[in-house]
Amino acid sequence: MKKALVTGVTGQDGSYLAELLLEKGYEVHGIIRRASTFNTGRIDPIRRSSIYGNPNGEGNRFQLHYGDLSDASGLARLMGRIQPDEVYNLAAQSHVRVSFDVPEYTTDITATGTVRLLEAIREVGIKPRFYQASSSEMYGLVQEVPQKETTPFYPRSPYGCAKVYSYWVTVNYRESYGIHASNGILFNHESPRRGETFVTRKITRAAANIKVGLQKKLFLGNLDSRRDWGYAKEYVEAMWLMLQQPEPDDYVVATNETHTIRECLEVAFARVDLDWQKFVEIDPRYFRPAEVDLLIGDYSKAKRKLGWEPKTKFKELIELMVDADLKLISDQLAGKVEFHA
């Protein structure tokens, strides 16, 4: 049985990846931070499932461990104890706008955290295959359209800068120490499990709330930013496929389509038969100090070498998210607390 170690397991991507790996017969170990309140809603259904063994007991194929990317010695201990065959580094301070407010913390976790993880692998002396979650935000002020693996990076946020460092240090450890380390340059990917501070989920949640009378207004920043949006549940399959290849490499994972935030509003509010222009107001607080205007990815290498391509189209994705938020609200109003996605 293969063992996988996943950082950021409680996040959108981490929860989908954990499910995928468990379905493939893996033993999955997730790292979570110790906190006064637990943010495990996305993975609680996995933890309760008897399919993967007794919850928190003998034979359980899904296990959680306390750890933090700021703690190098702790990461090394975990790496030595678990001895994983594959490591997926999905943890980060991943909110671009917030990275302008906490640039030092973003750098410590998103950039230096990757080095700590790679060093833990090297120091323990094991040879797992390593996946680094890279980001389309590395392209920033784009140098060509569409963006591909050879497009120069020009990050426009502390988050983007931190991800560029992590990208290159992953390449460096691959070339210096022979680690099977791959970068997945993922463009925006969304789902019902997306955090509510991210713009797509903020929009779909607001559309559902406004429809049932729980919210009156939605405040947003730049409506003309264009993004390449895909379905997170499909993108984690690309992560897994990268680590199944004979040789490590770097891949763009995207849809090669671009849509504005305005289009996202149109689709989301149309799903609940509302006119978005009656409810949306522009708030300067949500503008970034340096904006990224156009991201669109060329996934042809991933299709050619991994056999991967996106299946869920933009409109279908946004409608799927609105429907899930309507159901979540319905469940909350009925007194249910279980996470739904």
Side-chain angles (χ1 to χ4, degrees), residues 76-207:
R77 284 194 299 272
L78 277 175
M79 203 70 68
R81 186 162 78 242
I82 297 167
Q83 299 272 315
D85 300 288
E86 297 173 2
V87 176
Y88 295 85
N89 183 29
L90 310 185
Q93 188 305 98
S94 59
H95 197 287
V96 177
R97 180 62 190 85
V98 171
S99 77
F100 286 99
D101 300 324
V102 288
E104 184 178 347
Y105 174 75
T106 299
T107 301
D108 185 46
I109 300 303
T110 308
T112 313
T114 305
V115 180
R116 295 185 185 111
L117 201 56
L118 286 165
E119 270 295 281
I121 290 170
R122 190 178 71 85
E123 289 178 1
V124 172
I126 57 176
K127 288 287 186 179
R129 297 189 171 194
F130 180 84
Y131 171 84
Q132 169 59 26
S134 290
S135 169
S136 59
E137 288 289 331
M138 300 188 304
Y139 295 119
L141 188 62
V142 298
Q143 304 299 292
E144 66 176 336
V145 177
Q147 294 89 54
K148 49 185 180 287
E149 292 81 5
T150 55
T151 302
F153 300 137
Y154 197 137
R156 297 270 280 173
S157 66
Y159 170 77
C161 293
K163 282 294 187 181
V164 169
Y165 178 87
S166 285
Y167 172 93
W168 282 117
V169 82
T170 298
V171 173
N172 182 258
Y173 272 66
R174 177 169 76 208
E175 295 177 349
S176 300
Y177 303 114
I179 297 175
H180 190 297
S182 296
N183 282 290
I185 307 173
L186 271 59
F187 281 62
N188 291 63
H189 46 291
E190 319 298 319
S191 77
R193 301 183 189 181
R194 188 61 143 151
E196 293 181 20
T197 60
F198 291 87
V199 69
T200 49
R201 184 73 194 289
K202 188 176 179 180
I203 289 170
T204 63
R205 180 76 163 152

Side-chain angles (χ1 to χ4, degrees), residues 135-148 151-152 154-156 187-188 222-229 254-261 263 288 290-298:
S135 169
S136 59
E137 288 289 331
M138 300 188 304
Y139 295 119
L141 188 62
V142 298
Q143 304 299 292
E144 66 176 336
V145 177
Q147 294 89 54
K148 49 185 180 287
T151 302
Y154 197 137
R156 297 270 280 173
F187 281 62
N188 291 63
N222 182 8
L223 303 188
D224 297 315
S225 291
R226 304 186 68 88
R227 294 291 185 272
D228 183 324
W229 277 304
T255 70
N256 201 29
E257 292 183 9
T258 185
H259 299 273
T260 63
I261 293 171
E263 289 177 80
R288 300 179 186 177
E291 186 58 81
V292 174
D293 296 315
L294 172 63
L295 292 175
I296 178 170
D298 178 354

